[in-house]
Amino acid sequence: MLSWDSFASQRKELPVARRLVVFDCDGVLVDSERLGAQAMRELVATEGLLYSPADALALIRGRKVATWVAELEQELGRALPPDFVPEFRRRSAALFATSLRPVPHVRQVIDELALPFCTASSAPREKIVHTLGLTGLLSRFEDRIYSAYEVGSWKPDPGLFLHAARDMDVPAGRCAVVEDSLVGVRAAVAAGMTAFGYAPPENGTAADLAAAGAITFESMTALPALLGKWSALQPVSASISAR
């Protein structure tokens, strides 16, 4: 694992130019994934599958619902009920209404960010808008919301991030992606973007995100300094960590 100084030594100073920070939504802007994992655990328990909170979170984090549902069906050896996904979304929404919060310190990060930014998520647009609205973050993003369902490309495919960069008129090499999932980091790297991996200790994901090419950090309070250093340097592949 590289230090920041070693990472920076591989890059060249660039003239001031437009850059873009792309935030994932679930687990990066809003602390929704644990609530979604809870809804999933409750539902699959009625089908005879028992998941720990950690295993449930690992299954759904950053992934298309249809993908992990197919894996559950493979594990069960049969199809889940037709109303499984609608019921999962209903239960998740009920939990969001009472318990959803922004990721700690992310509101301050966004409010003080001098660089252009957007959010790009594997979730449907209506869910992104709903969760950002519940947490008071929607006004910060307005028309800079990108959904995989509208693009037809889900992480780890880089298509969603590349679409966001094109729409924001920023070259991929001048984009940074803030992600908490392995598939998201892989998508960012495949897009030629710099990946910052949000890995609070309780997630247990730092090693995997770093191995996939992310600059990992444990708290959103560390992100502004990392983005500040990145914005002055030319992106290259590297993996470092920050607390």
Side-chain angles (χ1 to χ4, degrees):
M1 194 170 289
L2 299 175
S3 68
W4 179 270
D5 289 342
S6 297
F7 177 67
S9 70
Q10 301 178 34
R11 303 154 79 105
K12 296 178 180 179
E13 296 291 338
L14 287 178
V16 174
R18 183 171 171 84
R19 289 181 180 264
L20 175 67
V21 181
V22 184
F23 290 92
D24 178 37
C25 185
D26 294 304
V28 169
L29 297 176
V30 298
D31 199 7
S32 56
E33 290 179 323
R34 295 182 192 282
L35 300 176
Q38 179 182 334
M40 186 276 278
R41 288 178 64 228
E42 293 171 354
L43 273 176
V44 298
T46 66
E47 300 296 327
L49 289 178
L50 298 180
Y51 270 75
S52 70
D55 288 342
L57 185 57
L59 180 70
I60 74 170
R61 180 183 282 127
R63 306 179 74 203
K64 184 181 179 181
V65 170
T67 300
W68 58 258
V69 166
E71 292 177 4
L72 289 174
E73 291 179 330
Q74 185 175 13
E75 185 176 354
L76 276 170
R78 60 177 172 82
L80 288 163
D83 65 345
F84 179 87
V85 172
E87 180 63 12
F88 164 74
R89 296 201 186 280
R90 188 195 67 77
R91 292 193 185 200
S92 295
L95 289 169
F96 294 164
T98 59
S99 305
L100 187 64
R101 301 289 183 271
V103 166
H105 309 294
V106 78
R107 182 182 283 115
Q108 182 178 356
V109 170
I110 293 168
D111 287 346
E112 296 179 358
L113 186 59
L115 298 166
F117 61 88
C118 66
T119 182
S121 169
S122 292
R125 171 175 285 267
E126 56 269 26
K127 180 192 173 188
I128 303 169
V129 170
H130 182 59
T131 57
L132 291 178
L134 285 174
T135 53
L137 297 175
L138 183 58
S139 62
R140 276 98 167 158
F141 289 89
E142 298 293 344
D143 59 347
R144 289 167 287 116
I145 295 171
Y146 300 95
S147 166
Y149 284 81
E150 296 173 343
V151 179
S153 175
W154 282 265
K155 308 165 190 178
D157 186 275
L160 175 62
F161 289 148
L162 292 172
H163 169 76
R166 283 193 299 269
D167 195 61
M168 296 285 291
D169 195 27
V170 179
R174 292 186 180 273
C175 295
V177 175
V178 185
E179 266 285 354
D180 70 318
S181 71
L182 187 57
V183 291
V185 167
R186 287 173 174 165
V189 171
M193 301 177 180
T194 299
F196 290 96
Y198 176 53
E202 61 270 23
N203 282 11
T205 55
D208 287 341
L209 298 186
I215 299 165
T216 60
F217 62 103
E218 294 183 355
S219 168
M220 284 295 171
T221 58
L223 184 59
L226 292 173
L227 289 174
K229 293 174 180 178
W230 163 77
S231 67
L233 300 167
Q234 173 148 3
V236 298
S237 282
S239 173
I240 67 172
S241 66
R243 290 184 180 272

